Amino acid sequence: MNKEALIDKYNVPVPRYTSYPTVPFWGNETPDVKQWFKHVKRCFTESNQTKGISIYIHLPYCERLCTYCACTKVITRDHKVEDSYIDALLQEWQIYLNEFDEKPILRELHLGGGTPTFFSPENLKRLINGIKSESELHPEYEFSFEGHPNNTTREHMQALYEVGFRRVSFGVQDFDPEVQRVINRLQSYETVKEVTEIAREIGYHSVNYDLIYGLPKQKLSSVKDTFDKVSELKPDRIAYYSYAHVPWKSKGQRLFTEEDIPNSAGKRALYDLGKEKLAELGYDDVGMDHFSLPHDNLYQAKIEKRLHRNFMGYNTSHTELLIGLGASSISDAKYAYAQNPKEIHLYKAASEKGELDLVKACNLTDEDLEVKKAILDISCRRELVFSNELKPYLPKTIESELQIMADEGILTFDSEKLEVTDLGMTFLRNICKLFDNRLRNAKAGESNMFSKAI
């Protein structure tokens, strides 16, 4: 079976596996904050001194609505919201600090959104200095942020550089003016070039571009032109994402019609062209939509088999405790997950009272922990050892299912180990799915809540 036929076969709804169990299978039990803190303290005690911790901070405000976006955001031009939101973030951080018996060691911090650069440079510095003031920095700490090319100023990048940031990710999506018009994200090549050059001039050692295929009005010619322009700027990393059309979740996506979106064959052609261009430009396929040049530490981590994957995507800091601060943020304490409310007023009200308000949580069973580790090994190290701890949780049909993929050239395996081939990198999500017992046991129709693999 050739690659095109394999893509047709495996282009089915599959989770992105930024967590296991995936969020739809967390259950509907009422979150127990005391139980959550027990998991947090256990994970912190076990890993803070050896690995440090990660922090994700969600900054939800945007001045304009990007119609393709399904993230939690609030559209406003009123910058008076900045101060009170940062106050709430620092109050939430203090809630966690009160639970720790020692200073947290910061290994990784990421600002996501929304638009983090909606906030003024001064307020961003106040936020980061507030986080750092009660923490220690790991010798190999890494701070990164998402920047909108239109409002990420030299002052933003300089201020964040001064408090420890060395990585920046710019949302480029597509350079075609018609695509930009439909998704309401107008930004010129010159603007992206300027912010990229400023970042490098200041001293940022890793610049990432987010690119998306499958957007409304997108054509092969526009993707080719986008990659031609990208080739001139050569970002250190590229995330080449599939557009997820979920208008029932994101009202902004109702501003264009299904007819504007490439069909399955058209989208696959966009994907194939993008992968071809990435290879031509020297980007290595790190896995699940992420690509990097060989000098970048993401590539080095892949080669040395020390990649990690969490709600922030692929990273080089294998921490076990990820604390999510802000509205809608998700935390991972190894043995449990928890999510904050998406509504800003509910989130702020709880933080101002010195309380944690969780709307969703999941306590992992022994089986979940073994499957979680297996999925991380596949997605981050391209291999899986069938340990005695994992074997009791393997599906009865796993050997025959793996054999099919082996015959197709996607992987190799024996009784002890599985290894992903170069061809199999395209189908990482499908391989992980074989070990997803929660999805395997799902009710009919529940798998359709995920986007397709391609």
Side-chain angles (χ1 to χ4, degrees):
M1 190 179 292
N2 62 32
K3 188 173 181 179
E4 285 191 6
L6 288 174
I7 289 176
D8 281 338
K9 174 182 176 180
Y10 289 112
N11 189 24
V12 295
V14 194
R16 293 186 183 274
Y17 292 112
T18 50
S19 74
Y20 182 84
T22 53
V23 176
F25 297 115
W26 283 11
N28 298 314
E29 64 269 16
T30 302
D32 184 331
V33 175
K34 289 184 179 179
Q35 182 67 27
W36 166 244
F37 279 131
K38 286 182 180 178
H39 292 304
V40 169
K41 292 173 76 170
R42 177 186 176 187
C43 188
F44 180 83
T45 300
E46 292 175 350
S47 64
N48 183 54
Q49 287 295 327
T50 55
K51 297 183 177 181
I53 73 167
S54 296
I55 297 177
Y56 169 77
I57 304 176
H58 192 73
L59 301 170
Y61 298 106
C62 301
E63 288 191 343
R64 290 168 60 95
L65 173 67
C66 299
T67 54
Y68 67 89
C69 178
C71 298
T72 299
K73 69 268 184 186
V74 175
I75 310 302
T76 181
R77 292 183 179 271
D78 181 8
H79 286 264
K80 294 177 183 177
V81 300
E82 294 184 33
D83 283 324
S84 62
Y85 189 76
I86 288 178
D87 288 343
L89 290 169
L90 293 175
Q91 287 161 338
E92 184 186 7
W93 176 231
Q94 188 60 51
I95 294 170
Y96 279 99
L97 289 172
N98 294 340
E99 298 292 325
F100 300 150
D101 296 327
E102 60 186 26
K103 276 193 172 184
I105 299 173
L106 284 186
R107 178 71 179 268
E108 179 185 28
L109 185 149
H110 182 72
L111 303 180
T115 306
T117 44
F118 171 96
F119 288 75
S120 71
E122 296 75 22
N123 272 331
L124 290 174
K125 286 186 76 171
R126 177 166 81 88
L127 170 61
I128 301 306
N129 285 330
I131 299 290
K132 290 170 61 178
S133 65
E134 299 293 333
S135 312
E136 296 178 11
L137 292 181
H138 189 281
E140 299 176 356
Y141 77 91
E142 189 170 83
F143 291 180
S144 58
F145 75 96
E146 296 169 12
H148 192 315
N150 284 351
N151 68 7
T152 301
T153 63
R154 178 181 290 272
E155 290 73 23
H156 278 110
M157 287 188 275
Q158 184 64 47
L160 289 172
Y161 184 88
E162 289 171 2
V163 292
F165 286 74
R166 297 294 183 270
R167 281 192 54 239
V168 57
S169 178
F170 293 118
V172 174
Q173 324 315 351
D174 189 296
F175 279 115
D176 185 84
E178 177 64 6
V179 175
Q180 291 187 0
R181 182 191 66 78
V182 175
I183 65 175
N184 198 36
R185 192 180 177 96
L186 299 170
Q187 56 196 22
S188 67
Y189 167 77
E190 289 72 25
T191 298
V192 175
K193 179 182 179 184
E194 181 181 15
V195 294
T196 301
E197 291 176 345
I198 291 173
R200 288 172 169 158
E201 177 188 325
I202 289 173
Y204 285 80
H205 59 66
S206 184
V207 175
N208 176 80
Y209 289 173
D210 283 350
L211 304 176
I212 298 179
Y213 63 94
L215 289 168
K217 301 293 185 181
Q218 201 172 42
K219 301 175 182 177
L220 287 171
S221 58
S222 67
V223 169
K224 180 181 182 301
D225 180 66
T226 291
F227 274 100
D228 287 344
K229 289 181 168 63
V230 166
S231 70
E232 299 170 12
L233 303 177
K234 271 293 180 81
D236 306 276
R237 302 179 186 180
I238 290 177
Y240 192 46
Y241 292 117
S242 166
Y243 167 67
H245 191 58
V246 286
W248 58 91
K249 285 177 57 180
S250 182
K251 294 180 180 178
Q253 294 183 354
R254 298 174 187 169
L255 298 178
F256 43 83
T257 70
E258 300 281 347
E259 294 179 359
D260 295 319
I261 302 169
N263 60 25
S264 294
K267 188 175 184 180
R268 192 186 73 193
L270 297 173
Y271 168 79
D272 287 340
L273 176 60
K275 288 288 293 283
E276 178 185 319
K277 291 294 182 182
L278 285 161
E280 286 177 6
L281 295 174
Y283 288 89
D284 182 80
D285 188 348
V286 174
M288 292 195 190
D289 315 318
H290 288 63
F291 302 81
S292 73
L293 292 174
H295 70 260
D296 192 90
N297 66 353
L298 197 68
Y299 173 83
Q300 298 300 325
K302 173 194 170 181
I303 296 301
E304 296 167 10
K305 296 190 176 181
R306 54 181 177 82
L307 272 180
H308 186 51
R309 184 169 171 82
N310 56 25
F311 288 106
M312 296 185 285
Y314 281 103
N315 53 74
T316 60
S317 307
H318 190 176
T319 58
E320 293 186 342
L321 177 59
L322 164 63
I323 295 176
L325 303 177
S328 79
S329 284
I330 298 177
S331 298
D332 178 353
K334 183 178 179 178
Y335 306 103
Y337 301 111
Q339 183 174 24
N340 290 343
K342 295 183 179 181
E343 298 82 0
I344 306 292
H345 68 283
L346 294 178
Y347 165 72
K348 289 171 63 175
S351 288
E352 288 165 2
K353 291 188 292 184
E355 299 174 355
L356 201 62
D357 181 15
L358 303 178
V359 295
K360 191 176 288 189
C362 177
N363 298 318
L364 275 65
T365 64
D366 289 343
E367 176 179 340
D368 290 334
L369 288 169
E370 289 300 326
V371 174
K372 176 182 180 180
K373 182 179 181 299
I375 286 175
L376 281 172
D377 284 344
I378 293 168
S379 59
C380 297
R381 283 167 279 286
R382 295 180 58 173
E383 63 183 23
L384 172 63
V385 173
F386 298 121
S387 66
N388 291 332
E389 291 79 14
L390 175 63
K391 285 178 180 177
Y393 306 120
L394 295 176
K396 294 179 180 178
T397 55
I398 192 69
E399 185 172 349
S400 60
E401 291 168 343
L402 290 175
Q403 188 60 56
I404 291 171
M405 285 190 164
D407 293 341
E408 293 167 336
I410 291 172
L411 54 82
T412 61
F413 80 103
D414 56 30
S415 61
E416 301 298 324
K417 188 177 182 181
L418 172 160
E419 293 186 354
V420 180
T421 65
D422 289 341
L423 172 64
M425 290 295 287
T426 299
F427 307 102
L428 276 179
R429 291 166 68 184
N430 304 91
I431 300 171
C432 291
K433 181 184 177 184
L434 297 183
F435 299 87
D436 186 342
N437 292 332
R438 296 270 191 145
L439 183 58
R440 190 181 286 269
N441 298 326
K443 297 175 183 176
E446 286 185 338
S447 63
N448 291 325
M449 62 185 72
F450 303 106
S451 61
K452 287 188 175 182
I454 304 300

